[in-house]
Amino acid sequence: MRYISLLLFVSVINACATSSEVNTIEGKAVHTVYCSGSAYSWETCNNKASEICGMNKYDVLQKYEDQGAFAAYQSAEELPDRRLIIQCKE
């Protein structure tokens, strides 16, 4: 039972959509949305991007996916690594 709980916890952590923000030289915010893991898809990234930018929508500056590169906790299962780099429209 303990093992199953640990696997569930690791799966949830690996599947979260998170983001980080940096500013360009011009002072404009650029967000990187991370939605790696087998439980989420590009739709998860797009939903997080919409949450960040709200009604302003956003431009996709870069879209990155690497199948099998995100092997967390030395898992036998290789998980997809997805990143969406966006800039909110003004």
Side-chain angles (χ1 to χ4, degrees), residues 78-89:
E78 293 182 348
L79 304 173
D81 179 19
R82 293 183 201 90
R83 294 178 219 156
L84 187 64
I85 300 174
I86 62 161
Q87 188 169 40
C88 297
K89 294 182 178 182

Side-chain angles (χ1 to χ4, degrees), residues 4 21 29-30 33-35 45 56 59 78-79:
I4 293 172
E21 179 182 331
V30 174
V33 179
Y34 305 93
C35 49
C45 280
N56 293 335
D59 290 318
E78 293 182 348
L79 304 173

Side-chain angles (χ1 to χ4, degrees), residues 22-38:
V22 296
N23 289 319
T24 65
I25 295 172
E26 297 84 19
K28 295 183 179 183
V30 174
H31 302 269
T32 302
V33 179
Y34 305 93
C35 49
S36 299
S38 58

